[in-house]
Amino acid sequence: MESKKVVNFITFLLFISLFILRVAFSQEASWKIKAEKIYFHWESQEFEAYENVEFLGRDISVKADYIKGNVKEGFFEAKGNIVFKDKNGEFNAEYMDYYYKDDRAIIKNVKLKYPVPESNEKMYIKGEEVKWEKGNVDLKKGSFTTCSYDMPHYYISSSQVEYFPNDRIVFINMVFFLRFPYPYFYIPIFYVPYYVLPLTKEPSPFPQFGYDSTLGLYFSYPLTYSLWGLPGVLTFLVSQNQGIQFTLNQKYQFPNLSGNINTYYLYNYLYNTDQFKFSLSGLYKPSSNLSFNFNTNYLLYPYSQNYSFQSSAQLSYTLKSFRSNIQANYNKTNSQDTFNTDINSSIRLSDKFNLSTNIKYNTLNIVSRSSVEDLQGNVKFEFNDQGQNFYIYANQRWTNTNDYLLRRLPEVYYGRSFNLLGVPSKMEFLFGNYIEPSYPFTVKTWKMGYYLTLSPKISLSFMNVNANMGYKQEFYGTQDARYILYANLSSNYKISSIVSGGISYNFQWLGRDIITGDLGNSPFYFDYASNLNNLNLSLNLGTPDVRLSFQESYNFITSSLSPLSISGLIRSGNNFVLTARTSYNFNIQKLNPIFLQGTLNYPWLSIGFGSLYDVNLGSFQRIDYRLVLKITGDWHYAGNISLTGYYLPSTGNTLYSLSIDKDLHCFNLKFIYYFPFQSFQFSLALKAFPTKGIEFIGRPEGFSLLPNF
């Protein structure tokens, strides 16, 4: 009897659970409730669940000590050790009201933990009351930090926090507090009435300060905000040497239209000058086949009344096989203005036929001078089909005809690829009527030619040979005629595991004019040709870790050798790399300076150097170096100390800087001191939200010989 009662009781509990799920969540997808004890009141349709209660729903879960709800109202309240999870993060609280049919909740005395997008860091938010609705969070009287400690190194206090997953966090009346090390207490650093922390890109969440040789002492204060749900940044910068600067960056988005607005104003109180910049860019796309891009920039110097205006736009339209693109640019200054238009259109008549056109119109107006106009265009009809190509091309310029534009009226071409005794080959025919303006006269005549190209390939056990050789025959309306023989041969060989290299030979030989007997050439400049006859050799000796390489070229026409290029490499795993590169000039019989580069890497130390050594003088011309001491372990000690610079032995001049990169748990610190300029840079950024900040200025200038491997 006892066992039968137990079975009946368990059956009753299962029935109640299934009934609740059926009635309460029938409109939703896959809801479950589990607990040690569940009670259901039929008349009021209220239910209670005790001990290890777990509520599972669509993209959410709730764990609590106690849940009480009403089926009709689609509501329950949870108490004690609440853990609420959505698809973005996790909440810990003591009390919660959840309206599961509306996907919204009110949570009290809550702690939130969310991952930072594209980072391994976490965000921690605390508040008295949170309104949660479909993943978005609105919190009253809350605090925010990315520090995992119970007493964080910093926190942001705000009268209201709005969190939009993977988009932004909005703070109202924000105060930034920094913890003083010993004894523990918090110092307010700065206040912002309204602040937006974007989560979709690198923000600049903090004011920045420092000193460098260009700006002098400076202070930068960014204010981020949200306008119609879109992020914006207003930055105030005051510097000792450049004055006061305001920068505004704002995105905008409307139906079918989006873009950016940027403004900039600088007042230099040292010279009593100012500068204003404004730029507007965007994309308008009312349909899938029509788009309009535009970009406008305006620069004004109010003190001197000088200005420049630049505007560009592009309109694209596509309809089935028809495409058209219009580009326009307009530039204006105090002294001149220019306007350029480029219109491209094409229509695919079939899979094999295509027709395209291009029209360009340009104007230039200079103050106190006459304007210049230019109108030109071209048209091309083309056929492509499995190894054969045919086109007719013509172009013309209707204004400004005293230029040097080559005009083809028209040019007709046909080419076909085929196999000749197993060798890939191509036959081409060309006929064109050309007008080539040149000094001192203009050439007007026709040209006709045919061309044969052979591209054999030979593969042997120790080498591969690739060739591209052919014959050209061309006739001109000026009674000139020429033929050309040409070839490009290349081969890579590997005799053994330590000997490899390459050989290439190319020549172009112009035959005699078949009519006049003179050395054949063209009456035009655009297709002028000359004889070529060159041999290139390369030799590699050694293994991938120990290697010596040589490269040499010989010109048979001038009977001259190019400088012999010599390079070498020594490598030991990932710890050590040394390279050397130089060349030997046969004409003066001297070795050029040797370019040496090397790196030495250990877990705790990295050394890199680059230098130029003059063998003839027996001295170094320049030495660049970088030493990095790497301290690993706990964040209290972890960081990098770097010394970078270069030395000129001939003058005794040296330029170097010392930099420190320090892990401060939830912050990253960077400090650089430039000894020659006696200036420094300082940067502090949240590790979770790295900031680009102001670039480090005043570092050793010019090129660097340091390796990048």
Side-chain angles (χ1 to χ4, degrees), residues 29 118 123 129 144 300 304 314 323 415 592 596 642 648 670 696:
E118 300 181 2
M123 296 182 293
E129 181 178 295
F144 169 92
L300 173 67
S304 61
Q314 177 175 316
R323 294 183 178 182
N592 291 322
L596 293 167
S642 305
L648 301 176
K670 184 158 189 169
F696 297 110

Side-chain angles (χ1 to χ4, degrees), residues 296 552 574 588 600 615 642 677:
T296 299
E552 182 57 278
N574 295 323
I588 60 176
L600 181 64
V615 179
S642 305
F677 308 104

Side-chain angles (χ1 to χ4, degrees), residues 288-303:
S288 60
N289 57 351
L290 179 63
S291 65
F292 179 68
N293 287 277
F294 57 92
N295 185 22
T296 299
N297 295 280
Y298 178 70
L299 174 61
L300 173 67
Y301 298 91
Y303 182 79

Side-chain angles (χ1 to χ4, degrees), residues 323-339:
R323 294 183 178 182
S324 183
N325 181 275
I326 303 175
Q327 292 181 320
N329 297 278
Y330 178 71
N331 301 314
K332 183 175 179 59
T333 65
N334 295 70
S335 58
Q336 68 178 40
D337 63 87
T338 60
F339 177 73

Side-chain angles (χ1 to χ4, degrees), residues 334-398:
N334 295 70
S335 58
Q336 68 178 40
D337 63 87
T338 60
F339 177 73
N340 307 307
T341 305
D342 195 341
I343 304 174
N344 292 283
S345 300
S346 67
I347 181 170
R348 182 164 290 279
L349 304 174
S350 68
D351 294 338
K352 302 176 182 179
F353 293 93
N354 188 70
L355 178 65
S356 60
T357 62
N358 171 261
I359 296 176
K360 295 181 180 180
Y361 177 72
N362 305 314
T363 63
L364 171 62
N365 296 306
I366 302 176
V367 176
S368 302
R369 294 178 60 181
S370 60
S371 62
V372 178
E373 287 186 300
D374 180 25
L375 177 62
Q376 59 178 288
N378 64 69
V379 60
K380 185 177 183 180
F381 175 77
E382 191 171 9
F383 167 81
N384 287 285
D385 180 36
Q386 298 180 353
Q388 56 180 335
N389 174 244
F390 169 79
Y391 71 77
I392 302 176
Y393 175 89
N395 70 319
Q396 180 60 283
R397 172 169 271 162
W398 294 276

Side-chain angles (χ1 to χ4, degrees), residues 63-66 78-83 93-95:
K63 292 182 180 180
D65 295 336
Y66 171 79
K79 298 179 181 180
N81 299 314
I82 299 172
V83 179
E94 290 299 319
Y95 181 85

Side-chain angles (χ1 to χ4, degrees), residues 124 385 500:
Y124 304 92
D385 180 36
S500 63

Side-chain angles (χ1 to χ4, degrees), residues 5-19:
K5 290 181 179 179
V6 172
V7 172
N8 290 336
F9 180 73
I10 293 175
T11 303
F12 176 75
L13 288 179
L14 291 174
F15 174 76
I16 293 299
S17 299
L18 292 173
F19 180 81

